[in-house]
Amino acid sequence: MRMSRYFLPVLKEDPAEASIVSHRYMLRAGMIKQATAGIYSWLPLGFKVLRKIEDIVHEEQAKAGHLPMLMPTIQSTDLWKESGRYEAFGEEMLRFNDRHEREMLFTPTAEELITDIFRAHVTSYKDMPLTMYQIQWKFRDERRPRFGVMRGREFYMKDGYNFDLTKEDALHAYNRHLVSYLRTYERMGLQAIPMRADSGAIGGDDTHEFLVLAETGESEVFYDSAVTELTFGDRDIDFDDKAQCQAIMEEFTTKYARTDETHDEALFNEVPEERRKSARGIEVGQIFYFGTKYSDAMNATVQGPDGKPVAVHMGSHGIGVSRLLGAIIEASHDDKGIIWPEGVTPYHVGIVNLKQGDEEADAACEALYKEFTAAGLEPLYDDRKERAGGKFATMDLIGLPWRITVGPRGLKNGVVELTSRKTGDSVEMTPAEAVARVKEIYASL
């Protein structure tokens, strides 16, 4: 992409309505624009990152054997009344009547709808286990929407649902999701700690939230600092191996880590004092096992091996796809702007032409642009006739991990400058070496 052809409405000043870093930078970098309270339009740069995050979620769900689908954003209230959750959900549910005076709602979550799909088509244990998921817009009518996409009313979410014959199988699905989520977050450059949490309106006894530590987090969390030393890395996972998934689950959840709703002071005091930590955390996902809560209420049964009907065991599993943009920025920024991890950056490398219109500089930038494109990488070429300082400020604000600076002085010596956004370190090298280095970095991901 060339900046001269891009829609990137950057702002020089911090918007008055933005009180946290991610909201300020998303507005300033031209990623979003508020349509009304808690609801945003996603502009090209923001939408591009949103799709990068969505792609990672899809890829990791596929590895775990989960099936993508899509359900509507609008539901009838009938299924919610059948499950008993319609009145219990509260004022966050947006309810309305259509032109025929039928009671409808804007989906905040989809346990009822997916259970209805399952019971209509699955009748035998032979068709199980089954896990399906979607990435779809949701709506919760927050009383005080704030912090941009971190606590909006409309949000983009991955919600998955497992159906299993036994509790043992359903708990394996729970562990499988925990493993896949750990992989997902690490690919995004995040350390998301699974913490024992409260199940809220979803229900059930087993639930973990995944939280990213940040000063602006909405939750108070208590944890053993040893959990921050755990990394998933490049493990070879067999998602059908119950023992392997259980072992990883225990590795990442045995040490104390809880949100304030489930905090147990006595248990926390058993942690060595120097490792007892409290902080704020941003929730970026949650997994639930709730047994037969919905299948009992909605008669979702299958014929078991003995020919008798069995209520299926279920769980649900969510990742806040749009919220993750805010979380990543909160975890990775400086006073100049965003610092995107390589896994989710909107463009792999920025190319800055210090003297647009100079024949040699223009030709060198065009050659770099074509080489990166041919290699399957996406460069963002700042070909505007702007001051160098303005170009650098824009690149720092939007946070591309790598920048190549091209100018007549360097080209006389046969070099360009490759700069790391994260460290600020710059190295002079030939254009061919710069291309090879950037290709090597992304090939290692």
Side-chain angles (χ1 to χ4, degrees), residues 34 47 90 93 131 158 253 272 312 337 351 364:
Q34 181 171 298
F47 185 64
M93 181 187 289
T131 297
K158 174 264 169 182
T253 63
V312 296
I351 301 171

Side-chain angles (χ1 to χ4, degrees), residues 322-380:
S322 54
R323 170 178 267 245
L324 272 165
L325 273 83
I328 292 169
I329 295 170
E330 292 292 332
S332 185
H333 68 272
D334 61 16
D335 58 1
K336 296 179 180 179
I338 302 164
I339 304 174
W340 290 116
E342 280 93 350
V344 296
T345 180
Y347 292 93
H348 297 104
V349 61
I351 301 171
V352 172
N353 190 339
L354 293 181
K355 194 172 184 181
Q356 196 72 37
D358 178 87
E359 186 175 346
E360 189 177 4
D362 290 355
C365 288
E366 288 292 341
L368 286 167
Y369 186 87
K370 290 177 181 178
E371 283 192 67
F372 282 123
T373 303
L377 298 177
E378 295 180 287
L380 180 62

Side-chain angles (χ1 to χ4, degrees), residues 80 86-95 105-109 138-144 146 151-155 201:
W80 285 72
Y86 182 64
E87 297 299 336
F89 203 88
E91 294 182 353
E92 286 187 355
M93 181 187 289
L94 181 63
R95 301 165 167 90
L105 59 90
F106 197 118
T107 303
T109 182
K138 305 287 191 302
F139 189 92
R140 294 185 186 179
D141 200 6
E142 294 277 356
R143 183 184 298 273
R144 290 181 58 234
R146 58 196 187 281
R151 199 159 186 85
R153 293 194 292 165
E154 185 184 55
F155 54 97

Side-chain angles (χ1 to χ4, degrees), residues 47-85:
F47 185 64
K48 194 167 181 61
V49 181
L50 189 71
R51 282 286 179 255
K52 289 285 185 82
I53 290 173
E54 182 180 1
D55 287 346
I56 291 173
V57 173
H58 276 303
E59 288 165 10
E60 293 302 327
Q61 288 297 296
K63 291 174 186 175
H66 306 158
L67 305 174
M69 62 176 299
L70 190 63
M71 291 179 277
T73 58
I74 304 299
Q75 298 184 33
S76 165
T77 62
D78 293 344
L79 294 174
W80 285 72
K81 291 177 179 178
E82 185 179 351
S83 74
R85 273 209 305 174

Side-chain angles (χ1 to χ4, degrees), residues 12-252:
K12 291 184 179 180
E13 303 296 330
D14 288 336
E17 71 271 24
S19 60
I20 65 171
V21 169
S22 58
H23 193 193
R24 290 200 302 270
Y25 282 157
M26 290 184 77
L27 289 170
R28 284 193 55 203
M31 299 178 71
I32 56 173
K33 183 183 184 302
Q34 181 171 298
T36 188
I39 300 175
Y40 294 87
S41 297
W42 290 79
L43 307 183
L45 190 72
F47 185 64
K48 194 167 181 61
V49 181
L50 189 71
R51 282 286 179 255
K52 289 285 185 82
I53 290 173
E54 182 180 1
D55 287 346
I56 291 173
V57 173
H58 276 303
E59 288 165 10
E60 293 302 327
Q61 288 297 296
K63 291 174 186 175
H66 306 158
L67 305 174
M69 62 176 299
L70 190 63
M71 291 179 277
T73 58
I74 304 299
Q75 298 184 33
S76 165
T77 62
D78 293 344
L79 294 174
W80 285 72
K81 291 177 179 178
E82 185 179 351
S83 74
R85 273 209 305 174
Y86 182 64
E87 297 299 336
F89 203 88
E91 294 182 353
E92 286 187 355
M93 181 187 289
L94 181 63
R95 301 165 167 90
F96 60 95
N97 290 351
D98 67 11
R99 65 168 59 191
H100 302 291
E101 293 303 315
R102 291 177 295 219
E103 293 180 316
M104 312 294 286
L105 59 90
F106 197 118
T107 303
T109 182
E111 282 80 8
E112 285 81 2
L113 193 57
I114 193 71
T115 302
D116 183 55
I117 292 169
F118 176 88
R119 70 182 178 182
H121 298 287
V122 181
T123 58
S124 171
Y125 75 96
K126 295 178 182 179
D127 297 321
M128 298 168 68
L130 181 63
T131 297
M132 296 185 287
Y133 77 95
Q134 65 171 350
I135 299 179
Q136 175 64 292
W137 292 100
K138 305 287 191 302
F139 189 92
R140 294 185 186 179
D141 200 6
E142 294 277 356
R143 183 184 298 273
R144 290 181 58 234
R146 58 196 187 281
F147 305 152
V149 301
M150 296 285 288
R151 199 159 186 85
R153 293 194 292 165
E154 185 184 55
F155 54 97
Y156 202 45
M157 178 180 172
K158 174 264 169 182
D159 49 314
Y161 307 89
N162 66 283
F163 298 87
D164 291 276
L165 188 64
T166 66
K167 180 178 181 178
E168 178 187 1
D169 291 341
L171 288 177
H172 172 57
Y174 187 93
N175 295 343
R176 192 173 65 238
H177 278 86
L178 182 138
V179 172
S180 70
Y181 280 20
L182 290 171
R183 289 171 56 109
T184 298
Y185 296 127
E186 282 201 11
R187 283 187 61 186
M188 297 176 189
L190 288 173
Q191 181 179 48
I193 302 169
M195 297 192 178
R196 178 67 65 177
D198 181 70
S199 61
I202 303 296
D205 298 324
D206 290 277
T207 181
H208 281 85
E209 283 181 359
F210 293 79
L211 289 107
V212 174
L213 300 179
E215 292 180 1
T216 52
E218 73 273 45
S219 301
E220 186 176 13
V221 298
F222 301 85
Y223 62 96
D224 179 341
S225 63
V227 302
T228 62
E229 299 169 7
L230 298 173
T231 57
F232 195 85
D234 266 341
R235 308 188 196 195
D236 186 17
I237 302 299
D238 179 357
F239 283 98
D240 291 326
D241 187 332
K242 291 184 178 180
Q244 185 184 27
C245 291
Q246 176 67 25
I248 294 172
M249 193 271 188
E250 291 174 359
E251 176 187 352
F252 280 85

